């Protein structure tokens, strides 16, 4: 499905149709990205989009995988910002052409994402590879993989979880999961604090669901994938371990 023609700056490229790479980047942006206008003191307007993650746990994912994905799609390089006090790492890009492609063509909102949803072009593709790629980007950023205790008191029971304040996004994710024939559960948690938005949860639990996820969707975020590798190697994955600690566990098992 071709997109509308779009005026672009020299050197910047804009995808002319949906692809698995674009679908994954869309999911990544929905999860941990945002669009914003910046008014510098020197005047004018800057058009920025930013991906943010954990300073250490998401470093490899952002600086290697996401940066490569963006370069492939838009032929643009970003700037790296670290906030040690907030344990946050960000990739920031500036391109008016890409900014408006995301906003006007893909329909990604500028600013808060309280009502964000999966762009229509994802569903219109009717392609399971596109669906899986979008889910991968979304769960790599805003999803989690954890392990609950079993009857042996081992952290061996996997659960893949996703939460959002956008009810539209939760429903769209449920549709994509259904298209890929996943069995999942969904609920809404309403806080007693009236100032807090309801949180919409979707989760898949159990070994069978995790293996199905790896086969159909997978993790491009190395930190999340290392949890799966530890679980496969040991039959469990301890909580509160770092990516580096899990890599060491995997290395020890391979010796």
């Amino acid at each position: 499905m071709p997109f509308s023609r779009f005026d672009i700056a020299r050197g910047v490229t804009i995808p002319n149709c949906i692809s698995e790479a674009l679908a994954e980047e869309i999911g990544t942006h929905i999860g941990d990205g945002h669009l914003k206008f910046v008014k510098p003191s020197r005047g004018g307007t800057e058009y920025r989009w930013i991906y943010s993650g954990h300073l250490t746990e998401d470093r490899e994912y952002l600086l290697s995988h996401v940066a490569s994905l963006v370069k492939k799609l838009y032929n643009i390089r970003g700037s790296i910002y670290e906030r040690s006090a907030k344990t946050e790492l960000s990739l920031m890009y500036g391109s008016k052409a890409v900014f408006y492609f995301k906003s006007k063509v893909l329909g990604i909102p500028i600013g808060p994402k309280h009502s964000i949803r999966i762009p229509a072009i994802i569903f219109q593709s009717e392609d399971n590879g596109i669906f899986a790629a979008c889910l991968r980007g979304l769960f790599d950023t805003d999803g989690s993989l954890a392990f609950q205790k079993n009857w042996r008191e081992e952290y061996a029971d996997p659960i893949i979880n996703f939460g959002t304040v956008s009810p539209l996004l939760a429903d769209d994710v449920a549709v994509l999961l259904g298209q890929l024939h996943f069995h999942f559960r969904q609920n809404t948690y309403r806080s007693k604090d009236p100032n807090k938005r309801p949180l919409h949860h979707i989760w898949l639990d159990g070994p069978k669901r995790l293996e199905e996820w790896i086969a159909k969707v997978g993790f491009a975020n190395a930190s999340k994938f290392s949890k799966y590798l530890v679980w496969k190697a040991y039959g469990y994955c301890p909580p509160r371990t770092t990516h580096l600690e899990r890599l060491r566990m995997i290395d020890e098992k391979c010796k």
Side-chain angles (χ1 to χ4, degrees):
M1 181 190 68
F3 298 136
S4 302
R5 294 184 63 85
F6 204 81
D7 292 329
I8 61 175
R10 183 179 180 182
V12 176
T13 60
I14 297 295
N16 61 10
C17 62
I18 191 64
S19 64
E20 291 188 14
L22 179 58
E24 183 175 346
E25 192 271 333
I26 288 171
T28 301
H29 190 123
I30 292 173
D32 275 344
H34 66 277
L35 296 171
K36 68 175 184 179
F37 295 111
V38 176
K39 298 287 186 179
S41 58
R42 63 180 180 275
T45 301
E46 293 183 359
Y47 303 83
R48 295 182 183 173
W49 81 96
I50 301 169
Y51 311 91
S52 298
H54 191 275
L55 183 62
T56 55
E57 296 301 291
D58 294 319
R59 176 174 291 273
E60 181 179 346
Y61 174 67
L62 286 172
L63 300 190
S64 179
H65 186 75
V66 175
S68 296
L69 199 58
V70 173
K71 183 65 169 63
K72 175 182 178 180
L73 289 167
Y74 306 116
N75 192 34
I76 189 171
R77 297 185 185 277
S79 301
I80 302 167
Y81 290 88
E82 297 185 8
R83 297 181 182 180
S84 299
K86 294 185 177 181
T87 64
E88 183 180 79
L89 176 68
S90 297
L91 271 176
M92 185 177 74
Y93 294 86
S95 166
K96 184 176 180 180
V98 178
F99 185 97
Y100 278 114
F101 169 71
K102 285 175 171 287
S103 174
K104 301 297 185 182
V105 179
L106 300 182
I108 294 174
I110 300 169
K113 301 183 293 182
H114 303 318
S115 299
I116 198 168
R117 65 183 312 170
I118 303 292
I121 59 165
I122 298 294
F123 297 101
Q124 291 167 359
S125 72
E126 299 182 350
D127 184 324
N128 284 353
I130 298 295
F131 300 160
C134 185
L135 287 172
R136 183 167 55 253
L138 185 59
F139 277 72
D140 271 337
T141 50
D142 225 16
S144 66
L145 171 61
F147 297 86
Q148 299 176 328
K149 284 185 178 181
N150 62 8
W151 63 276
R152 292 180 178 176
E153 294 295 301
E154 295 175 331
Y155 289 91
D157 292 340
I159 179 166
I160 302 170
N161 182 65
F162 173 75
T164 177
V165 297
S166 171
L168 297 174
L169 178 57
D171 289 342
D172 286 348
V173 170
V175 171
L176 291 183
L177 290 171
Q179 289 292 324
L180 295 176
H181 305 292
F182 280 109
H183 293 281
F184 60 92
R185 290 187 282 173
Q186 184 176 3
N187 72 5
T188 299
Y189 170 76
R190 290 178 171 82
S191 172
K192 294 180 181 179
D193 185 344
N195 296 317
K196 290 187 176 180
R197 297 175 182 272
L199 189 61
H200 308 277
H201 276 286
I202 292 176
W203 70 97
L204 305 86
D205 52 11
K208 181 179 179 180
R209 302 286 176 263
L210 176 54
E211 295 289 12
E212 188 180 10
W213 182 271
I214 295 298
K216 292 181 179 181
V217 178
F219 291 110
N221 188 323
S223 181
K224 288 183 170 64
F225 189 58
S226 67
K227 294 181 181 181
Y228 168 75
L229 294 177
V230 167
W231 175 74
K232 287 292 286 185
Y234 290 87
Y236 63 90
C237 182
R240 296 178 292 278
T241 53
T242 66
H243 178 46
L244 182 58
E245 289 169 341
R246 291 191 292 273
L247 291 180
R248 288 171 179 163
M249 290 178 67
I250 296 165
D251 185 58
E252 284 296 322
K253 197 69 173 181
C254 293
K255 287 181 179 179

